[in-house]
Amino acid sequence: MKNTIIPFVFLLFFNLFGNLVHSKITSGKGIIILEGKYQNKNLYVQNSFASSGVGFCVYEVTINGKVTTDPINSSAFEIDFNQEMIAVGTDVIVEIKHKDGCSPKVLNPDVLKPMPTFETTSIKVNHDGIINWSTKNETGSLPYYVEHFKWNKWVNVGEVQGKGTPEENAYSFKIPLVSGENKFRVKQLGNNNKPRYSEEIKLRAKMTQVSYSYSKSSREIVFSSETSYEIYDKYGNLAKKGYGKVISCTNLEKAVHYLNYDSSTEEISLK
């Protein structure tokens, strides 16, 4: 049994409560409830003395209904999932039961939120623009963001919800290709917004490069075929984006803009 004392400086760098935490009062006593998935990290609790001055505030901790053996009679303690033989990715409900007139503080509730842990077992794309990928070792259901490198940047082009289970899972998504080289990857984001990426894959598309013309009279951009596009103003603000063959520019300032389309980036005067 461990008796872990958390230094005061350590406490300052954690949120007191997150979205996974809620509490209720039962018979004059309180329960803090945390729900999520075990991500191979333990919870830390700042405990206080009971309002009576005798003993500490927390009197019982349970994980999925089972009373833990954590050293709760302390000013700070750790809820150790390893002692309870909880497997990574397991759904957990933690109940921290405390006496009336006091309240413990959960220092790092976010550790029960899903984190990106996937490993890519395969990823490929065909000439129809269908990207297929398989992963393993997911420990929580998080969206996969599909990214396409074009216009000198990674562009988010779609989203597929991850299954969140450790066995091998397969996914697919259809993406409009651009002329020339196409490069793709998928990623997931954790609660700290730190991304985890798949490997990158490339494909040279067998298609004609898209061209365009601009009509001053109708103030329209017309492409030779349908394409994804973005228009930025001279200050770098996004003015329009979409997919199609014609863009109406009647509501845009008569000035220089920057046009992204197909695999190209160009400066265009919309006068």
Side-chain angles (χ1 to χ4, degrees):
M1 186 180 296
K2 291 187 287 186
N3 186 12
T4 305
I5 304 299
I6 312 301
F8 178 73
V9 174
F10 176 82
L11 306 182
L12 295 178
F13 289 91
F14 289 95
N15 293 323
L16 298 184
F17 289 92
N19 294 330
L20 296 173
V21 182
H22 58 279
S23 60
K24 62 182 179 180
I25 302 297
T26 305
S27 301
K29 296 180 179 180
I31 304 176
I32 297 173
I33 302 172
L34 301 97
E35 300 180 50
K37 288 182 179 288
Y38 176 48
Q39 302 293 322
N40 204 28
K41 293 183 179 181
N42 293 330
L43 289 165
Y44 294 96
V45 180
Q46 184 179 14
N47 205 2
S48 62
F49 287 105
S51 58
S52 64
V54 179
F56 287 92
C57 186
V58 175
Y59 66 88
E60 185 179 274
V61 174
T62 65
I63 299 176
N64 292 344
K66 181 181 177 182
V67 178
T68 71
T69 57
D70 298 308
I72 61 176
N73 292 316
S74 172
S75 60
F77 64 90
E78 180 180 5
I79 299 177
D80 190 349
F81 290 91
N82 290 319
Q83 290 191 41
E84 308 306 320
M85 304 297 289
I86 302 293
V88 175
T90 300
D91 290 323
V92 291
I93 299 176
V94 178
E95 294 189 355
I96 302 170
K97 301 177 182 179
H98 61 88
K99 300 171 185 176
D100 189 23
C102 61
S103 181
K105 297 176 181 179
V106 181
L107 304 175
N108 59 336
D110 283 351
V111 300
L112 295 185
K113 291 182 179 179
M115 292 292 290
T117 57
F118 73 92
E119 297 176 32
T120 308
T121 56
S122 69
I123 182 169
K124 56 187 177 180
V125 62
N126 62 28
H127 285 279
D128 293 322
I130 299 174
I131 180 171
N132 293 283
W133 71 99
S134 297
T135 65
K136 64 178 182 179
N137 293 336
E138 296 178 37
T139 55
S141 181
L142 289 168
Y144 282 98
Y145 298 100
V146 183
E147 295 187 326
H148 190 178
F149 190 81
K150 56 183 179 179
W151 312 325
N152 300 314
K153 62 183 179 179
W154 284 103
V155 178
N156 182 17
V157 293
E159 184 177 322
V160 177
Q161 188 64 34
K163 297 174 184 177
T165 53
E167 66 270 14
E168 187 166 89
N169 295 307
Y171 305 95
S172 66
F173 191 82
K174 184 173 175 61
I175 304 168
L177 299 176
V178 298
S179 60
E181 185 177 86
N182 291 259
K183 186 162 60 173
F184 303 99
R185 69 185 182 188
V186 298
K187 74 176 181 183
Q188 286 186 333
L189 293 172
N191 61 68
N192 58 359
N193 281 326
K194 184 176 181 181
R196 185 179 184 89
Y197 297 103
S198 71
E199 64 184 89
E200 299 172 7
I201 52 169
K202 296 179 181 179
L203 173 74
R204 182 162 290 277
K206 299 175 181 178
M207 57 186 291
T208 303
Q209 186 173 7
V210 177
S211 61
Y212 76 92
S213 61
Y214 175 64
S215 170
K216 290 183 179 180
S217 58
S218 63
R219 298 202 71 211
E220 288 183 336
I221 297 172
V222 180
F223 297 110
S224 57
S225 61
E226 290 189 327
T227 182
S228 298
Y229 62 83
E230 294 178 340
I231 300 179
Y232 290 85
D233 65 20
K234 59 185 177 182
Y235 303 107
N237 300 311
L238 180 64
K240 281 182 178 285
K241 68 179 296 184
Y243 183 86
K245 191 172 181 179
V246 179
I247 310 174
S248 173
C249 303
T250 56
N251 61 337
L252 298 181
E253 181 185 2
K254 292 183 177 181
V256 170
H257 286 69
Y258 300 93
L259 174 65
N260 293 331
Y261 69 99
D262 188 35
S263 57
S264 302
T265 298
E266 295 187 22
E267 182 180 295
I268 181 173
S269 176
L270 299 181
K271 296 179 180 179

